[in-house]
């Protein structure tokens, strides 16, 4: 069955600029959110355990992403009334469902990492688009032979 955009409610049409899906994609599809989802997996972890598992994440960035994931219903935050307070994070049902997709993305990345790295190196070795455009303009201005085109003199003769 083919679904057309006419049969989708406006708020469910992910192609619409005003769709909430665009906001969800923007928030959830960032490197830290994906890595947090992968780190939590089926476990319940404290803030420091998540931070220790994610090399390079700052306290602020971890806090922002955990709050965003909680706001979107993908992570639960449980505060235990102890001194100091014990705070734990776990994926919700939808968070665990998303994790299956994140697992696939992580697996795909591991499989194709070397290919992508080599492609980036080849791309970096190419002349930039600006350099290529300048070279094309120079070739066009001089003609295919590389000779400077003749310019008519004020007297009407060609020089």
């Amino acid at each position: 069955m083919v679904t057309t955009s006419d049969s989708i409610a406006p708020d469910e049409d992910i192609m619409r600029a005003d769709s909430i899906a665009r906001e969800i994609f923007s928030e959830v599809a960032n490197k830290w959110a994906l890595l947090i989802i992968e780190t939590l997996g089926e476990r319940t972890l404290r803030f420091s355990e998540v931070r220790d598992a994610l090399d390079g994440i700052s306290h602020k960035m971890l806090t922002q992403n955990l709050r965003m994931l909680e706001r979107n219903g993908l992570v639960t935050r449980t505060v235990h009334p102890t001194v100091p307070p014990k705070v734990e994070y776990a994926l919700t049902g939808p968070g665990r469902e998303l994790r299956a997709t994140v697992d696939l993305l992580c697996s795909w990345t591991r499989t194709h990492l070397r290919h992508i790295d080599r492609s980036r190196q080849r791309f970096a070795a190419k002349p930039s688009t600006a350099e290529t455009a300048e070279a094309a303009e120079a070739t066009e201005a001089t003609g295919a032979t590389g000779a400077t085109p003749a310019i008519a003199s004020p007297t009407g003769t060609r020089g």
Side-chain angles (χ1 to χ4, degrees):
M1 176 180 168
V2 176
T3 305
T4 64
S5 60
D6 295 337
S7 64
I8 300 173
D11 60 335
E12 294 175 355
D13 185 353
I14 63 173
M15 298 303 186
R16 289 178 52 111
D18 62 347
S19 171
I20 191 171
R22 300 266 182 111
E23 182 180 335
I24 294 167
F25 291 161
S26 177
E27 290 181 353
V28 174
N30 78 68
K31 70 178 176 183
W32 293 123
L34 295 174
L35 292 171
I36 290 167
I37 291 167
E38 184 70 6
T39 298
L40 286 173
E42 296 296 323
R43 304 177 294 173
T44 298
L45 298 175
R46 297 182 69 170
F47 183 94
S48 61
E49 293 172 316
V50 178
R51 186 189 61 226
D52 291 347
L54 294 173
D55 188 33
I57 193 167
S58 68
H59 184 93
K60 178 183 176 183
M61 192 57 60
L62 180 55
T63 300
Q64 287 175 348
N65 276 274
L66 284 168
R67 285 182 182 163
M68 175 274 298
L69 291 168
E70 182 184 11
R71 182 174 72 90
N72 284 299
L74 302 173
V75 166
T76 59
R77 178 178 185 266
T78 305
V79 180
H80 299 279
T82 60
V83 178
K86 179 180 176 183
V87 181
E88 295 178 322
Y89 297 89
L91 294 177
T92 62
R96 286 189 299 276
E97 286 180 36
L98 179 57
R99 181 175 173 244
T101 300
V102 172
D103 284 345
L104 291 172
L105 182 60
C106 290
S107 178
W108 177 89
T109 302
R110 287 182 194 103
T111 299
H112 298 286
L113 195 63
R114 286 182 180 79
H115 166 80
I116 293 169
D117 188 44
R118 287 190 304 270
S119 295
R120 288 178 172 184
Q121 290 173 11
R122 282 192 304 273
F123 186 85
K126 289 182 180 180
S128 72
T129 305
E131 291 169 349
T132 305
E134 289 172 9
E137 289 172 6
T139 302
E140 189 176 300
T142 60
T145 63
T148 304
I151 301 174
S153 69
T155 60
T157 59
R158 296 186 59 87

